[in-house]
Amino acid sequence: MKSAATRAWLFLIAGLFALSACNTGQDETTRMIFRYNEGAGISSLDPAFSRSLENLWAVHQLFNSLVELDSNMLVQPSVAESWEISEDARTYTFRLRDDVYFHNHQLFPDGKGRKVNAHDFVYSFNRLRSPELASPGAWVLGWLAEQPNGGVEAPDDRTLVLHLKAPFPPFLGMLSMKYCSVVPHEVANHYGADFRAHPVGTGPFQLQAWVEDTKLVMKRNDRYFERDEKGRALPYLDGVAVSFTRDAGAEFLELLKGGFDMISGLHSSYKDELLDPFGDLNAAYRKHLYLQKQPFLKTDYLGFLVDENLPAVKESPLRHKLVRQALNLGIDRELMVQHLRNNIYRPATSGFIPYGMPGFDPTRVKGYDRDLDKARALLREAGYNSGRELGTITLSTTSDYVDLCEFVQSQLEDLDVKIKVDVLPAGTHATYTAEGKLSFFRKSWLADYGDAENFLSVFYSANHAPGGPNYTRFSNELFDQWYEKSMEIQNLDERLALYQRMDSLMMEEAPILPLYYDVVVRFVRKNVQGLSSNAMNLLDLRRVRVDEEED
């Protein structure tokens, strides 16, 4: 009897041979396989568990949702060809395409994937929010009304109706999340929890073989419903092969050899080798590689605890808005990014809404540039003749961000402000921040969905920690009024204009000291064309081509 490991290897080899044989009639040299590495591993191919970026990238190749976000973070049709929103913004009616099929599987009649219908979405949404599944994405459907039918109805095969318990304009974009992908009840019910390893969706690729921590192979879905601008079938690739090399140095060498077509992110083992001091690709690698940069919806910041009812605030000079503004003016963010972040990230000199998010507009939302004279004037206006009179201010952080906090410490010395950097274990730092025990702390916010409400909710008073993400305990009546009003505005341009007013107000009140907006970096082989993404850092392979590489 063969061992489990041997059977796994045979399964993988069979999958690779099947991929090699796909699209018969193609010459061997014209087959296009995109290869990338996932050093952190993949824990599930079930979209209900697509919480991590590693899972998300693979799931995105296998599944579709009602809608999707384009490269500008705007909502576009996917399985839904159109939709209407009721006047009271509580009812969403979707019209589904008539040409979307699930991947082939033996559980379907004749092994052929059947056509997707609205009842499949009813099943998928009820599955996502079921307590038995315990999906980390169940919260996405928390806006659905309890009645009728849990807020989800399918009057016919091509019509899906969603009822919300209250207006929430970002909801449409949230439906683009892979959690909300459509799955077939025949397969999901049959495999139960093991659907994670037997995924069947509607995406541009379908699973061919997966041996965990060894290799993942996906092949082209020949029945995929999308076409390019010239009417040609998508995807162009014949397949995708994912490796699980954990050593970043080995991953880098494999990219140089052509074994991988792309690596994503900056790792300390190779970042200084690949990048010059200006954040561009070193000339030595430009023959075979190109650098791809794009916004990533994440803002790193320092937070000030501003609730004067808390013991940590009552005697703190940080309770004064003018002091917080002065500290913001004491930081050269461009210098910080240049020296500490390889000049890759974007200095946060606008608001909290990050670069790449609709609503980001540095011409309308003004942040802080370094201005020591103005900072000193603000300190005097607050009643402090010198920064020394503030006493020692403790800035709490974790070990990963000591360099940033020490940079802030050094910069504020020019204002005679003394900063003590206190390094805490990550768990302790998170707990103390949530409990309001830290008066000055490092934090970041990463988008869950592509609407600026996701960032502005961090300062809504009803979201005070520990029950919500408002770790600064910021409260402002006008901000709250605008936030609540924005939830009644369906027109995107009008809503963005109000978002910008909220962001400007928050920057004026200065409950935070923004540091930088994150940026995604990818190093890609020159023969790879059409690799696109968006500020959520999705890996979109539908239009990718891998040409024969020149010597």
Side-chain angles (χ1 to χ4, degrees):
M1 177 178 288
K2 296 182 177 69
S3 68
T6 300
R7 291 196 302 272
W9 273 108
L10 289 174
F11 176 62
L12 175 59
I13 291 168
L16 290 170
F17 272 112
L19 180 57
S20 177
C22 72
N23 288 355
T24 58
Q26 274 188 291
D27 183 81
E28 178 71 28
T29 60
T30 65
R31 295 193 187 103
M32 293 189 292
I33 312 299
F34 184 84
R35 298 171 172 86
Y36 75 93
N37 186 56
E38 205 58 89
I42 292 173
S43 62
S44 177
L45 297 176
D46 184 339
F49 295 90
S50 56
R51 183 175 187 175
S52 70
L53 188 63
E54 299 79 28
N55 290 7
L56 183 64
W57 276 13
V59 165
H60 187 57
Q61 317 313 319
L62 300 169
F63 293 89
N64 292 101
S65 307
L66 287 166
V67 296
E68 64 181 21
L69 298 180
D70 64 16
S71 59
N72 296 313
M73 301 301 296
L74 300 177
V75 178
Q76 301 296 338
S78 184
V79 179
E81 63 182 13
S82 63
W83 55 86
E84 294 180 356
I85 302 174
S86 64
E87 189 172 340
D88 66 0
R90 292 171 182 255
T91 302
Y92 290 63
T93 303
F94 295 89
R95 182 68 172 170
L96 305 189
R97 296 177 64 122
D98 194 36
D99 59 352
V100 181
Y101 291 83
F102 288 116
H103 300 151
N104 295 339
H105 195 276
Q106 68 267 22
L107 289 172
F108 295 127
D110 301 322
K112 297 290 186 181
R114 65 167 175 80
K115 186 181 292 186
V116 173
N117 60 59
H119 303 281
D120 292 313
F121 276 99
V122 174
Y123 167 80
S124 300
F125 287 179
N126 286 335
R127 174 181 182 265
L128 176 64
R129 58 185 176 178
S130 67
E132 294 78 15
L133 187 68
S135 165
W139 64 270
V140 176
L141 301 180
W143 284 95
L144 292 177
E146 293 184 8
Q147 297 295 332
N149 301 318
V152 186
E153 295 183 292
D156 58 61
D157 284 353
R158 294 189 62 189
T159 305
L160 180 72
V161 182
L162 303 180
H163 302 277
L164 273 60
K165 57 189 176 185
F168 188 63
F171 182 72
L172 180 63
M174 291 169 65
L175 292 175
S176 70
M177 299 173 73
K178 302 316 293 186
Y179 291 131
C180 300
S181 299
V182 63
V183 303
H185 64 87
E186 301 96 325
V187 183
N189 285 339
H190 175 80
Y191 286 107
D194 208 31
F195 186 68
R196 61 175 289 282
H198 298 86
V200 173
T202 61
F205 300 93
Q206 61 190 84
L207 180 65
Q208 183 66 39
W210 181 28
V211 177
E212 297 187 43
D213 296 323
T214 301
K215 200 78 170 182
L216 169 66
V217 180
M218 295 175 279
K219 68 176 183 179
R220 185 180 190 272
N221 175 14
D222 291 328
R223 300 180 79 190
Y224 188 58
F225 59 92
E226 285 192 275
R227 304 275 170 170
D228 69 9
E229 296 75 11
K230 296 182 178 180
R232 296 171 298 191
L234 296 174
Y236 302 139
L237 291 169
D238 295 304
V240 180
V242 185
S243 299
F244 299 97
T245 301
R246 296 190 180 277
D247 184 86
E251 178 186 45
F252 170 53
L253 292 176
E254 197 65 24
L255 174 72
L256 297 184
K257 292 190 299 181
F260 296 143
D261 294 303
M262 173 205 74
I263 58 175
S264 179
L266 282 174
H267 194 276
S268 58
S269 66
Y270 55 72
K271 67 174 184 175
D272 294 328
E273 174 70 17
L274 283 174
L275 296 177
D276 65 22
F278 302 100
D280 296 319
L281 187 66
N282 273 322
Y285 296 100
R286 293 176 190 169
K287 180 179 179 180
H288 296 294
L289 302 177
Y290 65 89
L291 177 63
Q292 190 179 70
K293 299 181 192 178
Q294 65 182 41
F296 185 44
L297 300 182
K298 177 171 170 283
T299 301
D300 278 70
Y301 66 97
L302 304 181
F304 302 104
L305 195 63
V306 295
D307 184 352
E308 295 190 27
N309 294 316
L310 295 173
V313 180
K314 286 183 178 179
E315 303 301 323
S316 171
L318 301 179
R319 70 186 186 278
H320 299 299
K321 177 176 71 173
L322 296 178
V323 172
R324 301 194 300 269
Q325 291 176 337
L327 299 188
N328 264 286
L329 289 165
I331 308 302
D332 187 335
R333 294 163 177 81
E334 290 189 5
L335 184 66
M336 175 191 67
V337 166
Q338 180 180 349
H339 285 290
L340 301 183
R341 293 297 182 265
N342 287 78
N343 214 30
I344 289 290
Y345 300 146
R346 181 164 178 150
T349 54
S350 184
F352 191 62
I353 298 173
Y355 169 55
M357 174 73 84
F360 173 82
D361 189 344
T363 66
R364 295 190 177 187
V365 181
K366 300 297 183 182
Y368 296 89
D369 293 306
R370 198 178 204 219
D371 188 333
L372 296 181
D373 290 338
K374 186 175 180 180
R376 293 186 182 100
L378 288 173
L379 289 176
R380 287 193 295 271
E381 186 178 348
Y384 299 94
N385 294 317
S386 167
R388 289 189 296 271
E389 295 181 7
L390 297 176
T392 299
I393 298 173
T394 299
L395 171 56
S396 302
T397 185
T398 58
S399 58
D400 292 343
Y401 296 92
V402 171
D403 59 342
L404 284 172
C405 294
E406 289 182 344
F407 177 86
V408 170
Q409 179 187 51
S410 175
Q411 290 267 289
L412 294 181
E413 285 179 357
D414 293 339
L415 291 174
D416 291 329
V417 175
K418 186 176 181 181
I419 300 292
K420 175 189 174 184
V421 177
D422 185 24
V423 183
L424 299 173
T428 303
H429 185 270
T431 299
Y432 285 2
T433 303
E435 293 177 351
K437 294 180 178 179
L438 304 179
S439 60
F440 193 25
F441 52 88
R442 194 219 70 89
K443 206 72 177 172
S444 64
W445 188 253
L446 173 64
D448 290 310
Y449 46 90
D451 192 286
E453 180 276 337
N454 194 195
F455 282 79
L456 296 171
S457 67
V458 173
F459 304 99
Y460 183 47
S461 62
N463 289 335
H464 279 185
N470 188 345
Y471 301 108
T472 65
R473 311 294 178 95
F474 177 72
S475 292
N476 183 282
E477 185 176 352
L478 182 58
F479 183 95
D480 287 350
Q481 290 175 359
W482 285 349
Y483 177 86
E484 291 164 4
K485 182 179 179 181
S486 72
M487 295 299 95
E488 302 172 358
I489 300 174
Q490 287 297 321
N491 181 277
L492 179 60
D493 290 337
E494 293 180 15
R495 196 163 77 251
L496 293 182
L498 187 52
Y499 284 165
Q500 290 161 354
R501 292 169 66 188
M502 295 163 63
D503 207 7
S504 294
L505 174 60
M506 190 272 300
M507 293 308 298
E508 167 70 20
E509 294 297 320
I512 64 168
L513 190 158
L515 295 172
Y516 58 82
Y517 311 120
D518 214 336
V519 172
V520 170
V521 176
R522 294 175 179 173
F523 301 95
V524 189
R525 298 289 299 184
K526 273 281 188 72
N527 61 321
V528 176
Q529 305 298 324
L531 183 63
S532 65
S533 184
N534 60 25
M536 296 293 289
N537 194 19
L538 277 181
L539 181 65
D540 189 349
L541 299 177
R542 287 172 292 184
R543 290 172 171 78
V544 167
R545 293 185 181 276
V546 181
D547 300 325
E548 188 174 351
E549 197 157 10
E550 298 179 2
D551 293 333

